[in-house]
Amino acid sequence: QLACPLDLGCHSVGKTKELIAKVSEIRSEHEDGRSYVSWDDVTALSLPPTFQRFLYNVAIAEQMTASSSS
């Protein structure tokens, strides 16, 4: 069985909301005064590059990045 970073429950069906909540926890306050997920926030987690990209893509899809947050 594959290891699942961040204890996301990757092997369970119906864990989408849990994944989105975990990605939301990556958000941080930035110099512009806004709170969003940046690529630096994701890479600071020291996860495998493919998983970093996956998490960042989730953040983009859920409008949690600088270009999509207001």
Side-chain angles (χ1 to χ4, degrees):
Q1 192 173 28
L2 297 173
C4 187
L6 297 180
D7 190 31
L8 293 174
C10 297
H11 306 291
S12 300
V13 176
K15 294 292 187 170
T16 303
K17 288 183 181 179
E18 185 179 345
L19 170 64
I20 293 169
K22 293 285 186 180
V23 173
S24 182
E25 291 174 9
I26 300 170
R27 284 182 175 171
S28 65
E29 187 78 22
H30 293 273
E31 292 178 5
D32 61 5
R34 297 186 304 156
S35 178
Y36 53 85
V37 176
S38 71
W39 179 246
D40 289 340
D41 296 330
V42 174
T43 57
L45 299 173
S46 300
L47 296 170
T50 53
F51 199 69
Q52 291 174 345
R53 175 55 56 192
F54 171 74
L55 291 178
Y56 193 67
N57 285 339
V58 170
I60 291 169
E62 292 299 316
Q63 301 181 345
M64 296 181 197
T65 60
S67 60
S68 59
S69 65
S70 50

